[in-house]
Amino acid sequence: MATTIIDDGVSTSAATVTGRRAGPRDEHRAGWLLSIPFLVLYLIFLVGPAVYGIVMSFFNATTVRPGLGKSVGFDNYRSILTSSDFWSSMGHTVWFTVLTTPPLVILALVLALLAERVHRGKALVRFIFFAPFVLPVTSVTLIFLWLYAPEIGLIPHWFETVGLTPPNLLGETKWAFLSVAALTVWWTIGFNFVLFLAGLQEVPRDVYEAAAIDGASPLRTLTGIVLPLLRPTVVLVTMLQILASMQIFNQMYLMTAGGPGTSTRPVMEFIYDTGFSDYRAGYAAAATMVYFAIVLVVSVVWFLLRRQSNKEVGA
């Protein structure tokens, strides 16, 4: 059966006009309308509490009394900036960052380079390295508490086997930092490993083929081609790791509770103790804002380094 199509000219013209009106402006408007639910939730759950925290930092607020309490101006900030406990906790956080960042970047890069060269069982190798990262912090802490236990722990037993006196791995400050750092490296290296793998897969295959045709050795290919192309990923992983290490709390709190004394207490635990143990919510809010400003400076440095690295690679 034949079908007759009637073109009256008017409908075509109207459709054309309608099509012209549904341009970028309409798409822009539709994008904003679709984003409204997210923006509302963002304002309620992120911007709102942040603004309230800033306001609270100027009051003598506590967690046992409703309301903000008496206004204290900048007294909380002056007290934080002159607090030896705060800066001591900051020193502990920086030391932990120094202990964990180099191995979590270098070892993850080495493991990714080795895993990339595996031809059989590549998926299994990637799973083995990434699997610890999905474990909850409480499980990881229990495993390492058993390893470090003075009487029954595996590591003290190794010391005794070779005739050495086992150290108190969680009872001495220097050993406590190293013990928690070792836990953190084992637990989180899988995340950086995956980031480096993604970066290596962005390196064009023909680059390797050209290097092989030119007779370049594997070491020369790595240092002269792969690592320069991987520089943006290295910068990204390094700065993300610094930011992550600066937010150390869970594993340190569960394994040492900041002890012995407060000799391993990081800044996040200082804020927790101030707000929830000493009930000084306003003071803790001020400490949070000071620490946020420090982390923000580190983030800006990361942004500038990343932009410079991208320019050099793109040049």
Side-chain angles (χ1 to χ4, degrees), residues 123-136:
L124 178 62
V125 172
R126 293 177 177 178
F127 171 76
I128 290 173
F129 287 125
F130 185 73
F133 185 71
V134 302
L135 292 175

Side-chain angles (χ1 to χ4, degrees), residues 182-201:
L183 175 154
T184 305
V185 171
W186 181 86
W187 180 34
T188 62
I189 197 171
F191 182 75
N192 294 346
F193 169 77
V194 170
L195 292 180
F196 279 127
L197 274 182
L200 286 171
Q201 291 176 358

Side-chain angles (χ1 to χ4, degrees), residues 24-255:
R25 180 179 297 177
D26 291 333
E27 293 180 0
H28 185 70
R29 185 183 304 162
W32 276 106
L33 290 175
L34 293 172
S35 301
I36 285 178
F38 166 76
L39 293 175
V40 170
L41 293 175
Y42 183 80
L43 290 173
I44 293 175
F45 292 106
L46 290 177
V47 177
V51 172
Y52 188 76
I54 294 174
V55 174
M56 184 187 294
S57 66
F58 294 99
F59 287 83
N60 186 24
T62 74
T63 54
V64 295
R65 183 182 59 207
L68 293 174
K70 181 182 177 183
S71 175
V72 294
F74 287 93
D75 286 351
N76 285 334
Y77 286 95
R78 277 193 287 269
S79 181
I80 284 293
L81 294 175
T82 57
S83 170
S84 60
D85 289 339
F86 176 78
W87 291 112
S88 177
S89 298
M90 179 63 70
H92 301 156
T93 303
V94 172
W95 177 233
F96 179 81
T97 303
V98 171
L99 286 176
T100 53
T101 299
L104 279 170
V105 174
I106 297 173
L107 284 180
L109 175 59
V110 172
L111 293 177
L113 290 170
L114 294 175
E116 185 66 12
R117 298 181 66 85
V118 173
H119 298 291
R120 300 183 63 181
K122 183 175 292 188
L124 178 62
V125 172
R126 293 177 177 178
F127 171 76
I128 290 173
F129 287 125
F130 185 73
F133 185 71
V134 302
L135 292 175
V137 64
T138 49
S139 301
V140 177
T141 303
L142 283 175
I143 293 171
F144 278 78
L145 281 175
W146 174 76
L147 290 174
Y148 297 152
E151 301 296 334
I152 61 172
L154 187 61
I155 294 179
H157 175 70
W158 288 346
F159 275 88
E160 293 174 352
T161 302
V162 298
L164 298 176
T165 302
N168 190 347
L169 294 172
L170 296 177
E172 300 178 25
T173 301
K174 62 178 181 180
W175 286 105
F177 272 115
L178 293 175
S179 301
V180 179
L183 175 154
T184 305
V185 171
W186 181 86
W187 180 34
T188 62
I189 197 171
F191 182 75
N192 294 346
F193 169 77
V194 170
L195 292 180
F196 279 127
L197 274 182
L200 286 171
Q201 291 176 358
E202 293 296 322
V203 178
R205 295 294 100 180
D206 53 358
V207 171
Y208 293 103
E209 296 173 0
I213 293 174
D214 292 340
S217 65
L219 181 60
R220 177 59 181 167
T221 303
L222 174 65
T223 58
I225 298 176
V226 176
L227 290 182
L229 292 176
L230 208 60
R231 186 186 305 167
T233 305
V234 174
V235 174
L236 171 66
V237 172
T238 302
M239 296 312 299
L240 288 179
Q241 185 54 57
I242 290 174
L243 294 175
S245 294
M246 291 182 69
Q247 299 179 41
I248 172 67
F249 175 74
N250 291 332
Q251 57 267 44
M252 189 70 83
Y253 184 75
L254 290 173
M255 296 197 73

Side-chain angles (χ1 to χ4, degrees), residues 240-288:
L240 288 179
Q241 185 54 57
I242 290 174
L243 294 175
S245 294
M246 291 182 69
Q247 299 179 41
I248 172 67
F249 175 74
N250 291 332
Q251 57 267 44
M252 189 70 83
Y253 184 75
L254 290 173
M255 296 197 73
T256 69
T262 58
S263 60
T264 61
R265 184 172 66 171
V267 174
M268 300 297 289
E269 188 177 341
F270 171 83
I271 295 172
Y272 174 84
D273 290 342
T274 304
F276 293 95
S277 298
D278 300 339
Y279 309 113
R280 302 173 65 189
Y283 188 79
T288 302

